Amino acid sequence: QVQLVESGGGLVQAGGSLRLSCAASGRAFNTYAMGWFRQAPGKEREFVGTTMRSGEAYYADSVKGRFTISRDNAKNTVYLQINSLKPDDTAVYYCAASSALAAGYLARRDYYAYWGQGTQVTVSS
């Protein structure tokens, strides 16, 4: 069993920045690929990006250049740095963990077996 807890969300003015954190339980954090998804009201949960076990990161085209994912295996924590926030970034942001072997499906929800509760990000104009 893996438990994930997100934090760092809040209300931010457009153009500002936030850093979200996701803390994982257990001793096997370094074996997980860690993904970030977001869900706006009335919309489906969508892929944001993933950091692999090595630390290499992949991003959705819609967030490239503004979002950065990193991980600290010693702290069992993955981060999502968001710069130049836009009102369209408003959503609940979810952290997810995967032990899958293949990297070709990392943008799919079913690639990830464990999910956090989410943290709200609200961007005002």
Side-chain angles (χ1 to χ4, degrees), residues 28-36 47 49-59 69-73 77-79 96-107 111-112:
F29 178 81
N30 62 311
T31 72
Y32 306 145
M34 300 296 299
W36 286 96
F47 174 72
T50 295
T51 179
M52 308 306 293
R53 297 159 184 82
S54 64
E56 185 174 10
Y58 301 88
Y59 303 93
I69 300 172
S70 60
R71 66 192 296 157
D72 186 339
N73 289 340
T77 301
V78 63
Y79 305 96
S98 176
S99 60
L101 297 177
Y105 308 99
L106 55 84
Y111 184 80
Y112 304 89

